[in-house]
Amino acid sequence: MAPTSPTLIGSVRRALALLELVAEHGELTAKRLSRMAGLPLATTYHLLRTLVHDGHLRHERGAFRLGPAAPRLAGQGRGHGARLPDWLRLLGEELDAPVYYAVMADGEVEVVMSVDAPGRPAVAEWAEFRATAHAHALGQCLLAQLDAEARRAYLARRPVRRLTPRTVPDEEALMRRLARIRRGAPVVEREEYMLGTVCGAVPITVGGVHSAVGFSLPVEEENRLDETALRLRGRLERALTAHAFTVLT
């Protein structure tokens, strides 16, 4: 697999780290953000200026707080969903696969929207998506963004169960798998939710909001799975780098 540009990944992760710190603490100065994120002060100021310009942060009385664009990242802004179908449709055409957008809301996995690709219908929800996060790529992607305690709390409500012979067998096996997923890395599953279908997903965490974008392929095209997951990650990183993340609102 060809490596993704480290500069692109680094800039995205640094911006997301600053947003997450502000969301967690309510307000922080640039110097404190620099220390907490482990970034040079000049780099921190550069990222903060961009985030303030795009409305994700606001700067008042020497401290940074979440800005007016931040609620849109959680789907709480005016016009929520108005642009999402068009964005997903274009993404599906680019990936040549049906695509999905999901969020972790109030401790539950919610598939907000799915969009068919030309001649490629989305996966039918034969087992409730919110109750089977352990088995599909979107759910595993969302669970991987949580800490171990939050994962256990979800699984206490939504226990692991076998949907196919390839589904993860039990909670401990799932917890080990989730712990191995690197921050920001694509997640793939092969016939764990439905026989005949393989899926991939990429996480997005901004301002404490956990979401993911995914796709599905017929098992006959499994050879495309990893490549398509990397293409999806690159597409999302370009959107973030271009300050176009609010396309998902």
Side-chain angles (χ1 to χ4, degrees), residues 105-188:
D106 298 322
E108 295 287 1
V109 171
E110 299 286 353
V111 178
V112 176
M113 190 169 295
S114 63
V115 176
D116 298 344
R120 294 174 176 271
V123 172
E125 188 180 5
W126 77 273
E128 187 182 13
F129 287 139
R130 68 157 51 191
T132 56
H134 63 281
H136 51 75
L138 280 170
Q140 293 175 23
C141 203
L142 291 168
L143 291 174
Q145 296 176 66
L146 306 179
D147 59 30
E149 182 179 355
R151 292 171 192 166
R152 295 281 190 192
Y154 172 87
L155 294 171
R157 299 190 309 275
R158 309 291 191 181
V160 171
R161 57 191 177 96
R162 300 296 291 269
L163 302 181
T164 79
R166 304 193 69 172
T167 305
V168 65
D170 53 50
E171 181 174 322
E172 294 309 316
L174 177 65
M175 291 293 288
R176 289 193 296 271
R177 177 189 295 186
L178 295 174
R180 289 194 298 268
I181 296 173
R182 292 179 291 106
R183 181 183 176 89
V187 174
V188 297

Side-chain angles (χ1 to χ4, degrees), residues 14 34 38-45:
R14 287 191 288 270
S34 173
L39 298 174
L41 186 57
T43 300
T44 302
Y45 273 120

